[in-house]
Amino acid sequence: MKKRILFIMAFVVATAMTTAQIDRSKAPTSGPTPEINMGEPYTFTLKNGMQVLVVTDSKLPTVNFSLNLNTPPIYEGDKAGVQSLTGSIMGKGTKTMSKEKFNEEVDFLGAFLSVNTNGGYMSTLSKYKEQVFKMFVDAALNPNFTQEELDFERDQLIANLKSGDNSAAAIAGKVRNALVYGKNHPAGEFATEETINSVTVEDLEQFYRTYFVPSKGYLVISGDITGKEAKKLVNKYLNTWIAGSAPDVSYPEAKDVPYTVINFVDVPNAVQTELAVMNIAGLKMNDPDYYAATVANSILGGSFNSYLNANLREDKGYTYGAGSGLGSNRYYKSSFRASAKVRNEVTDSAVVEVMKEMQRIRNTYVDDDMLSNAKAQFLGDFIMSSEDKEIVADRAITIKTNNLPADFYKNFIANINAVTKEDVKRVANKYFKTDQARIILVGKASDILENLDKMTVDGKPVPIKFFDKNANPTERPSGIEIPKGVTAQTVLESYVAAIGGKDAVAKVKSTSSRATLDSPMGEVAIIEKRDINNRWSLDVTMGGKSMSKQIYANGKGKVVAQGRTIDTAGDDLDAQQSEATFMPEVTMAAKAQLVGAEMKDGKKVYVIQWSPSKKSFYDMETGLLTSSETTIKQQGQEIIQAVNYSNYKEVKGVKFPMTLSQNMMGQDVSFEVKELKVNEGVSDADFK
């Protein structure tokens, strides 16, 4: 015991002496800048011109093959969608093996295999490398383009397009580059239902023959395989691939706007605004500015602690996240983009703050700590990724295709560390153009435009140009006048008449409905019951199992989920009470307010406000309810939940909507009412 005590005392004294020798008045000096020594992959060239790079790493018994044909971006024109359709069919069976047999064999070997129009990727256990590589080559060189597969993939692609027709996120995704580059540029064009329907099997085959060619391509092989083994394997299965190069291409020159302007796309059902500030940057990886521009973008919006995220998310609470990106395209001029998803009511304020942060990095030297932290975070990610042997070969290809010096990655850390605050300010003024910015806003005009008209940037108003969801110029969304004599009560009376009339509606004392949606996890069902006493229950099930249930009755509400029951209060209780109101168009008509009229999903609608958190929209022509919006609070932010109603059908003399759709995470999700009962199927037990 005594020896142990003496040992501890000696350790404490030694530690104290060591600590005493440290001069804490001086900052520690940095060690030498580390270098990344990637090593050289084993390289050889096939007769058809393709270069093969092999990196041996036997730590795990796996092998990866990555094929990159180095194909330039392609403008598809009136066949836009042909590349996507070609790629979606490739890898789904071959001319020598059916799709079912092919997939079964890949699964049996425990491999992953994917082929597309620019190459493909496969991963397998090293003992199966020849079997899987043979299948990979078969899929790549013998694709089976059939009318049946084209019809299936075309229907899928068109369905995906339609699902985004009313999604602000999907619309923003296609109009941003269309506005910056133009729709006659491969970066700006997008597929439509018309161009997709024009694609034939012959088009797929022609596209494949023209662009799936090897002579400028690269095959990267990494893992538990030697260079000698790889060369033997590749020569055995790729020796029949005939040389060929994709056609040379040229691109229209993309230009910035002469002055800062807002491009606005109206999406009447948008619950938030998709905001982007963009300009042409023209940066390439072999530019001397590349390192400084990379660091500058990280500081502005490329990291969690960036200027943009700290302002719009952490300080203002306008968004869950804001950021920026700076491209370095080698084929045409790249672009810069700062972006965020923000609440409709703060869109103008968010634009001002984004522009303010861009001006900040242009006009003010970055803080030393911020600069140091930005470098450290960026380099940490770079060093970690450098441990991956597959990255070694990928970087070797990047050096070749981007005309970079051979020691680009070896000196990368030193070049990033050499960036100064003067460099950051200089490149920010060059690549972040606040005086030639295209501010692209996709959102709900009726919630945004009034404040946007009053907004100023640097004390000046910003002109607004309007576009439709296909990036075509359009007129400013016009306000719709409410005809004389129309009131909230007359709107609701028209609705009652449209669904069956007063007498039929008066006979409805309760409703019970079941709406369903098919999902990969099983059938999702919404079972809703309500009665004239303003009692309400909503049960959401998946695969027949209740996931969440809400009940409101006699002034009390609760939520049952995951075996727990929580009594609701405050805003949650108010929301349940609002949902529980039976036939509000009849029972609450006196409290309704007509607050306006607008265009919504291509229809003129009246807007009825029920409470500060809920409003409904009624078709001016048919009188029917088309949608409703409820504002709720989550994590300190207001979120609008919108539901659309359509496909009205009569049950016991009264019309009810049989399709209920809602936008969830950028996707339109529709529930179909499979069963609706009037004055039956509801009991006291449903509300306990």
Side-chain angles (χ1 to χ4, degrees):
M1 180 67 177
K2 189 177 292 184
K3 288 183 179 180
R4 185 167 181 267
I5 293 173
L6 289 174
F7 172 78
I8 293 173
M9 290 178 65
F11 175 78
V12 171
V13 171
T15 302
M17 291 177 66
T18 302
T19 304
Q21 294 172 4
I22 299 174
D23 184 355
R24 298 189 180 277
S25 66
K26 298 180 180 179
T29 57
S30 300
T33 301
E35 290 184 352
I36 296 297
N37 188 5
M38 298 194 306
E40 289 293 328
Y42 175 74
T43 305
F44 59 94
T45 302
L46 301 181
K47 291 180 180 179
N48 59 24
M50 175 176 287
Q51 296 185 48
V52 183
L53 297 87
V54 185
V55 179
T56 301
D57 182 1
S58 301
K59 293 177 183 176
L60 295 173
T62 59
V63 181
N64 301 321
F65 292 75
S66 179
L67 175 63
N68 179 354
L69 297 181
N70 195 24
T71 307
I74 301 159
Y75 175 66
E76 301 170 35
D78 58 5
K79 296 288 185 179
V82 63
Q83 184 170 7
S84 175
L85 289 168
T86 304
S88 64
I89 294 175
M90 293 179 69
K92 296 183 177 179
T94 73
K95 291 178 180 177
T96 63
M97 188 181 298
S98 70
K99 178 170 65 175
E100 293 75 16
K101 178 65 176 175
F102 188 89
N103 292 337
E104 181 182 321
E105 187 70 14
V106 171
D107 290 342
F108 176 77
L109 294 171
F112 175 82
L113 192 158
S114 174
V115 182
N116 57 60
T117 55
N118 195 41
Y121 180 85
M122 60 157 278
S123 178
T124 181
L125 292 172
S126 52
K127 64 180 179 179
Y128 298 135
K129 58 181 177 289
E130 181 166 357
Q131 292 166 266
V132 179
F133 185 65
K134 180 180 179 181
M135 295 183 66
F136 177 76
V137 172
D138 190 23
L141 302 188
N142 299 299
N144 191 26
F145 299 114
T146 66
Q147 189 64 49
E148 180 183 7
E149 287 295 331
L150 173 58
D151 291 342
F152 176 80
E153 296 297 340
R154 177 191 284 131
D155 289 345
Q156 294 290 105
L157 188 54
I158 290 175
N160 289 337
L161 288 183
K162 289 182 176 180
S163 71
D165 272 350
N166 297 312
S167 163
I171 293 169
K174 68 179 183 180
V175 302
R176 285 173 177 170
N177 278 352
L179 292 170
V180 171
Y181 287 98
K183 290 192 287 185
N184 62 339
H185 192 288
E189 73 169 338
F190 50 82
T192 66
E193 187 171 353
E194 180 181 9
T195 63
I196 293 170
N197 278 325
S198 73
V199 176
T200 65
V201 172
E202 289 73 23
D203 293 326
L204 304 180
E205 293 173 340
Q206 179 63 41
F207 187 93
Y208 172 81
R209 287 193 299 270
T210 303
Y211 295 104
F212 202 87
V213 285
S215 296
K216 294 181 180 179
Y218 299 88
L219 177 63
V220 176
I221 306 174
S222 62
D224 186 21
I225 186 172
T226 66
K228 184 178 180 180
E229 289 175 321
K231 190 170 186 177
K232 180 179 179 181
L233 188 64
V234 171
N235 280 321
K236 180 177 181 180
Y237 291 103
L238 286 180
N239 62 349
T240 60
W241 197 357
I242 300 173
S245 296
D248 292 332
V249 293
S250 60
Y251 305 103
E253 184 179 0
K255 296 181 179 180
D256 282 315
V257 289
Y259 50 81
T260 295
V261 64
I262 293 172
N263 291 171
F264 193 96
V265 179
D266 181 27
V267 181
N269 67 326
V271 297
Q272 59 185 355
T273 302
E274 300 285 335
L275 182 161
V277 178
M278 300 183 67
N279 62 253
I280 298 299
L283 180 70
K284 296 183 184 298
M285 288 189 73
N286 59 3
D287 288 341
D289 287 338
Y290 180 76
Y291 309 102
T294 298
V295 173
N297 180 70
S298 180
I299 292 168
L300 176 63
S303 65
F304 183 81
N305 295 319
S306 66
Y307 287 177
L308 290 173
N309 205 52
N311 183 329
L312 273 71
R313 173 190 163 101
E314 301 300 314
D315 183 27
K316 300 297 190 303
Y318 291 163
T319 179
Y320 284 116
S324 66
L326 181 60
S328 56
N329 194 287
R330 59 192 168 99
Y331 293 105
Y332 50 78
K333 288 184 177 179
S334 59
S335 62
F336 161 79
R337 182 173 78 196
S339 59
K341 302 174 187 287
V342 301
R343 305 195 312 276
N344 289 338
E345 64 271 22
V346 299
T347 299
D348 58 312
S349 300
V351 170
V352 170
E353 294 303 320
V354 170
M355 298 297 286
K356 183 176 79 174
E357 295 302 340
M358 290 175 63
Q359 289 285 26
R360 175 186 174 190
I361 197 170
R362 285 165 53 94
N363 299 332
T364 306
Y365 288 120
V366 62
D367 178 82
D368 289 338
D369 287 341
M370 184 73 171
L371 177 59
S372 177
N373 291 337
K375 292 179 184 178
Q377 180 176 344
F378 188 88
L379 291 177
D381 293 340
F382 174 79
I383 293 170
M384 288 292 291
S385 65
S386 299
E387 297 296 318
D388 187 342
K389 295 298 182 182
E390 194 171 351
I391 296 295
V392 172
D394 286 339
R395 288 178 177 169
I397 292 175
T398 300
I399 288 173
K400 293 174 182 292
T401 56
N402 287 275
N403 193 28
L404 302 174
D407 60 358
F408 179 84
Y409 287 107
K410 180 180 179 181
N411 296 330
F412 191 84
I413 295 176
N415 286 327
I416 289 291
N417 276 330
V419 174
T420 66
K421 57 187 177 183
E422 289 79 12
D423 291 329
V424 170
K425 184 179 178 182
R426 174 179 58 80
V427 297
N429 277 273
K430 184 175 181 179
Y431 297 108
F432 310 152
K433 304 174 185 176
T434 54
D435 55 343
Q436 290 182 288
R438 192 186 294 269
I439 304 169
I440 302 173
L441 302 176
V442 181
K444 187 175 181 179
S446 60
D447 287 352
I448 300 169
L449 280 184
E450 183 177 351
N451 289 334
L452 210 59
D453 287 332
K454 302 173 185 176
M455 182 194 77
T456 61
V457 174
D458 290 337
K460 300 177 182 179
V462 182
I464 307 174
K465 295 184 178 180
F466 297 92
F467 297 84
D468 64 19
K469 62 185 179 181
N470 289 317
N472 300 312
T474 189
E475 298 296 322
R476 179 188 179 97
S478 59
I480 300 173
E481 293 186 9
I482 299 175
K484 291 183 179 180
V486 174
T487 65
Q489 284 66 42
T490 62
V491 170
L492 300 181
E493 287 170 2
S494 296
Y495 167 75
V496 171
I499 64 172
K502 289 182 180 180
D503 292 341
V505 171
K507 295 177 182 178
V508 179
K509 307 300 181 184
S510 69
T511 60
S512 172
S513 64
R514 183 175 184 274
T516 65
L517 164 73
D518 291 329
S519 80
M521 302 298 290
E523 183 188 74
V524 179
I526 296 177
I527 302 166
E528 187 176 38
K529 299 188 178 186
R530 55 176 75 243
D531 70 9
I532 199 169
N533 295 316
N534 294 329
R535 297 186 300 178
W536 172 73
S537 72
L538 182 75
D539 191 8
V540 180
T541 68
M542 180 178 291
K545 181 180 179 181
S546 179
M547 306 300 293
S548 175
K549 187 173 185 179
Q550 296 187 61
I551 297 175
Y552 178 90
N554 305 318
K556 297 180 180 180
K558 62 182 178 181
V559 176
V560 182
Q562 297 181 345
R564 299 176 58 199
T565 300
I566 301 174
D567 293 328
T568 52
D571 292 339
D572 292 335
L573 181 61
D574 291 342
Q576 286 185 327
Q577 183 183 27
S578 177
E579 290 297 329
T581 303
F582 191 75
M583 295 280 188
E585 289 84 0
V586 176
T587 60
M588 288 183 60
K591 296 183 178 180
Q593 291 182 312
L594 177 61
V595 295
E598 64 186 49
M599 289 296 297
K600 192 171 180 64
D601 297 331
K603 298 178 181 178
K604 295 180 179 180
V605 295
Y606 292 115
V607 185
I608 295 292
Q609 191 88 40
W610 298 103
S611 69
S613 62
K614 186 169 184 178
K615 54 186 176 182
S616 299
F617 304 84
Y618 298 84
D619 192 309
M620 292 178 66
E621 182 177 345
T622 66
L624 294 173
L625 173 69
T626 63
S627 60
S628 63
E629 292 181 357
T630 303
T631 303
I632 63 173
K633 290 185 177 180
Q634 285 186 359
Q635 299 179 351
Q637 296 201 34
E638 291 186 347
I639 297 175
I640 297 176
Q641 293 182 334
V643 180
N644 297 321
Y645 307 94
S646 60
N647 188 25
Y648 278 79
K649 292 185 179 179
E650 186 177 308
V651 180
K652 292 191 176 179
V654 177
K655 292 180 180 179
F656 295 88
M658 296 296 172
T659 301
L660 315 174
S661 61
Q662 188 171 11
N663 189 275
M664 297 180 179
M665 301 178 67
Q667 296 292 324
D668 287 332
V669 177
S670 294
F671 285 83
E672 300 295 333
V673 177
K674 300 298 184 182
E675 182 181 47
L676 194 149
K677 298 178 180 178
V678 174
N679 298 335
E680 59 178 316
V682 178
S683 67
D684 292 343
D686 294 318
F687 309 110
K688 293 182 179 179

